[in-house]
Amino acid sequence: MKLLDKIFDMFNAQQDVGIDLGTASVLVHVKDKGIVLCEPSVVAIDKGTGKPYAVGAEAQKMLGRTPGNIVAIRPMREGVISDYSTTEMMLKYFIRRVTKNRLFKPRIMICVPSGVTEVEERAVIDAAMQAGGRQVYLIEEPIAAAIGAGLDIAKACGRMVVDIGGGTSDIAVISLGGIVVSNSIKVAGDKFDDAIIKYIRKKFNAIIGDRTAEEMKKEIGSVYPMEEEKTMQIRGRSLVTGLPQSIEVSSEEIREALEEVSAQIVDAVHSVLERTPPELVGDISENGIIMTGGGAMIYGLDKLLSSKTGIDVFLADDPLSCVAKGTGASLDNIGILRDKSSYMYDMES
């Protein structure tokens, strides 16, 4: 019997899965394999059957281009589930892709924003269980981001993490393995895209789509003066004629568009620093602020934060995958993390 238990535990250990269930993309970390999947959080559904037509990158290509019988949905909004059944389908598809052995259900760790409500937590847990999880755990994004960035969060030393995703920005001060002060705002990568769309509409009387706005953000987006300013040619629809319109946009114009959104993130960081105990502020001033998440990769956000706070700001190595790496690594220390009920939750089947 003991031999069977050992074999069972061995297979289960190989099935540990960490999921960064983001608004813009889903990253999956599998034990001993690292990041094995990075796909957009989009599902295309066939209205006739109610079944998924495409998931991930294939579904993203269909946004704004689907015929009447197919609808492309982003089931995650502002860091939480907005469409439960679609999220469940998406999770089931991704979990099946990364787990080879269907006999043994995986243990799943999923990260959630630090300001998540109990109802939102329950929705994530239920979706993961229905998608095939044997045990489901939740961990707050700043903790996962800090672990993924390589910080030793167990020390009696204040470390500040700013994780900017697609739907939320999570700012937290961590010491002795727990969150001391935190703030989660629904201002992140998607708000940058929305700001660009509104700016183009107001200044050029033209409409562009979400994908064009995201391309502009990645190519010429900045929130701090660049050494060499850039320009980009885009195409949209004129509000005056209703016909296609070609527009040349500069990085300076995009910086103007993003000024208000970036200021909200800076204010959120200020708010957390103001509520942080003096000793920990001293540690942060010495060690600097770590930025993670896809939204942190926009040019100059680290420089803007540094100039406004007077503290050195560093962009983590591979900021996009920090949360997924930390989420996966957390399963190796599940016993320690479960003792810290302030930020770790679990639901066993």
Side-chain angles (χ1 to χ4, degrees):
M1 197 66 185
K2 289 183 179 179
L3 180 60
L4 286 174
D5 287 341
K6 286 182 179 179
I7 294 172
F8 186 75
D9 290 340
M10 180 182 70
F11 276 107
N12 280 335
Q14 293 173 349
Q15 296 288 93
D16 284 353
V17 175
I19 301 177
D20 177 7
L21 188 62
T23 304
S25 58
V26 175
L27 285 83
V28 180
H29 181 283
V30 175
K31 185 173 181 178
D32 299 328
K33 294 181 181 178
I35 306 289
V36 296
L37 183 144
C38 179
E39 296 270 358
S41 306
V42 186
V43 181
I45 296 175
D46 187 321
K47 289 183 178 179
T49 63
K51 295 181 179 179
Y53 182 83
V55 181
E58 287 299 314
Q60 187 183 43
K61 294 175 185 176
M62 299 177 186
L63 282 171
R65 295 171 174 156
T66 56
N69 64 316
I70 296 173
V71 58
I73 299 171
R74 292 181 64 183
M76 301 292 296
R77 289 289 177 188
E78 298 180 337
V80 295
I81 294 174
S82 64
D83 188 318
Y84 178 83
S85 60
T86 307
T87 301
E88 184 186 320
M89 283 189 276
M90 181 175 69
L91 278 174
K92 190 174 290 184
Y93 174 81
F94 289 144
I95 290 169
R96 283 180 177 174
R97 268 186 60 180
V98 302
T99 54
K100 302 290 184 184
N101 196 319
R102 302 289 171 81
L103 180 62
F104 298 94
K105 291 184 176 182
R107 290 193 310 170
I108 300 174
M109 176 81 78
I110 301 180
C111 64
V112 292
S114 56
V116 70
T117 66
E118 288 186 14
V119 173
E120 290 164 345
E121 285 172 14
R122 186 74 246 181
V124 174
I125 291 171
D126 288 346
M129 293 293 284
Q130 292 298 319
R134 175 173 57 91
Q135 294 172 316
V136 178
Y137 306 91
L138 303 185
I139 185 171
E140 292 187 351
E141 282 184 19
I143 293 290
I147 294 170
L151 301 183
D152 185 354
I153 64 171
K155 289 184 177 179
C157 177
R159 303 305 298 261
M160 187 175 210
V161 177
V162 179
D163 178 63
I164 304 174
T168 61
S169 293
D170 285 272
I171 305 105
V173 175
I174 301 167
S175 179
L176 287 171
I179 292 177
V180 181
V181 185
S182 70
N183 190 12
S184 179
I185 58 172
K186 299 184 187 301
V187 178
D190 285 351
K191 293 295 184 185
F192 283 130
D193 295 343
D194 292 343
I196 292 171
I197 292 171
K198 289 177 183 176
Y199 182 84
I200 297 299
R201 185 187 184 106
K202 183 178 179 180
K203 181 164 185 177
F204 298 100
N205 279 325
I207 299 175
I208 59 171
D210 292 339
R211 290 186 65 186
T212 302
E214 188 172 0
E215 286 173 15
M216 292 171 70
K217 179 180 70 178
K218 290 178 178 178
E219 292 293 325
I220 61 171
S222 73
V223 296
Y224 197 81
M226 304 174 79
E227 293 179 5
E228 186 177 340
E229 300 294 347
K230 301 177 182 179
T231 60
M232 182 178 179
Q233 200 79 18
I234 62 166
R235 295 190 69 82
R237 190 179 79 235
S238 170
L239 285 169
V240 179
T241 65
L243 299 174
Q245 179 180 352
S246 183
I247 306 166
E248 185 174 74
V249 185
S250 70
S251 53
E252 293 165 296
E253 289 171 317
I254 298 300
R255 189 157 58 250
E256 183 183 340
L258 302 181
E259 185 176 354
E260 185 179 341
V261 179
S262 57
Q264 289 179 276
I265 294 173
V266 171
D267 288 345
V269 174
H270 268 157
S271 172
V272 171
L273 284 170
E274 286 171 359
R275 292 184 285 121
T276 302
E279 292 293 339
L280 296 181
V281 171
D283 293 337
I284 294 166
S285 181
E286 183 179 342
N287 297 319
I289 298 170
I290 301 295
M291 291 182 66
T292 65
M297 296 169 70
I298 191 165
Y299 180 86
L301 191 53
D302 53 342
K303 296 176 182 177
L304 179 66
L305 267 177
S306 183
S307 69
K308 296 294 184 180
T309 61
I311 300 171
D312 291 334
V313 179
F314 305 98
L315 191 63
D317 294 334
D318 194 10
L320 187 63
S321 64
C322 280
V323 172
K325 287 178 181 175
T327 304
S330 298
L331 279 167
D332 292 334
N333 301 293
I334 197 69
I336 300 171
L337 292 173
R338 287 171 98 177
D339 293 335
K340 300 191 177 297
S341 56
S342 60
Y343 66 85
M344 166 64 65
Y345 316 87
D346 71 85
M347 177 60 67
E348 299 190 6
S349 57

